[in-house]
Amino acid sequence: MDFKLNEEQREFRALLRQFVDREVVPVAREWEQSGRYPTEIVKGMADMGLFGITVPEEYGGLDLDPVSFALVFEEIARGWMGIAGILGSHSLACRLIAMHGTEEQKQKYLPELATGVRRTGIGLTEPDAGTDLQGIRTTARLDGDHYVVNGSKMWITNARYADPLPVLVKTDPSASPAHKGMSVLLIEADTPGYEVTKDIPKLGYKGTESCEISLQDVRVHRDQLVGGVEGKGMQQVLSALEWGRVNIAARSVGIAQRAHDEALAYAQQRKAFGRPISDFQAIQLKLGQLGTQVQAARLMAYWAADAVRQGRADGPTGMAKIFCSEVALEAAIDSMKVHGGYGYSTEFEVERLYRDAMLMSIGEGTNDILRMVVAKSLISGETVVG
């Protein structure tokens, strides 16, 4: 058994780490607190080709293996989780188009999405439908050669930059089960009736916007139907979300790693009773637990990423997303405890890590729902423990 990254992956991680330490870490806290959009960091990611990590090479992308994909999100989230969000939703949508789009759709969008000239996200969640995607109310009625789309979407990352935005709709609202009547449309930003109505204020996950979108009589040509066939939208979205759960697991590892780094450094420099607090058993117990949990989460994330490569993803990616997201929150809390009162101050990094970690158990399916997904995978025999 070999738990090491291969040489290419190690070199890639080193390049990512250098970029994050140079371009992200020094500005993250200040920019997050001021609400400044990270334009320069986005440009740097584009220059590195990171907007093409899920785009096939024939369309100008990097087409990373799933473990290298995980490394991107681990390293960027270590610097600033919100930045990882900009790349995450984009990469998920690119993956969806690459896997399920028509050749014309791939040729039209993927080359510019790979370079960051175009950016995108994914329009799934609605005011009354989050985890239960079959409960969406946005409809698309065919009228000649165009679909007429009506509805709204919530919590859409990259909404103000997405062009096109893949939007999950009901092309047959009467279908039973509901997923058989669901499709994905690629809606361009300048389409009349498509409007980003507001940015949603958030506890954390700053640096990228999360928006509400209104769709009122939006006419979308039938050529924009992903794959060209109605009724495949749910399957298309779920297959892309397998990579999304690896993304969240890896982001969680990045948060946990940063929490560990901050706690360890602080414990070695902070003194009490004339000694570094790292000399005290109470602090050592926390550091020992922190380091162990972070490394366990990392191995779980890479294992799940490799399972995606092998095509056996549902159970492993669900397990990894659950475990890693909960480790991220626990690591952030323990790091705050090591910092004592300073952990509660916005002058230190750890309070941001805590706010960002909270989202990880919610995004890409809540942990409770994913526990059910994992259980079904175990019951069916698709996933085997041991």
Side-chain angles (χ1 to χ4, degrees), residues 130-133 238 241 245 314-315 318-319 321-322 326 361-377:
T131 298
D132 177 22
L133 287 178
L238 290 178
L241 284 174
R245 289 195 288 269
D314 245 14
M319 288 177 174
K321 193 272 184 181
I322 294 166
E326 295 188 353
S361 64
I362 301 170
E364 309 295 8
T366 65
N367 283 1
D368 283 340
I369 288 294
L370 285 178
R371 285 185 176 93
M372 294 165 56
V373 170
V374 170
K376 290 175 182 177
S377 182

Side-chain angles (χ1 to χ4, degrees), residues 290-351:
L290 239 173
T292 301
Q293 291 287 83
V294 172
Q295 191 60 10
R298 174 173 289 109
L299 292 173
M300 178 74 89
Y302 294 175
W303 168 71
D306 193 59
V308 170
R309 179 186 62 82
Q310 297 178 52
R312 50 179 188 86
D314 245 14
T317 57
M319 288 177 174
K321 193 272 184 181
I322 294 166
F323 184 78
C324 296
S325 63
E326 295 188 353
V327 165
L329 183 55
E330 183 180 339
I333 291 171
D334 281 348
S335 187
M336 289 181 79
K337 289 177 178 177
V338 170
H339 280 73
Y342 286 113
Y344 205 61
S345 168
T346 58
E347 294 181 350
F348 284 71
E349 299 291 336
V350 289
E351 63 85 27

Side-chain angles (χ1 to χ4, degrees), residues 251-272:
R251 280 198 239 178
S252 298
V253 173
I255 293 170
Q257 179 66 54
R258 184 65 179 278
H260 162 79
D261 294 346
E262 295 294 327
L264 185 61
Y266 184 82
Q268 291 173 316
Q269 68 185 29
R270 171 70 170 175
K271 291 186 177 181

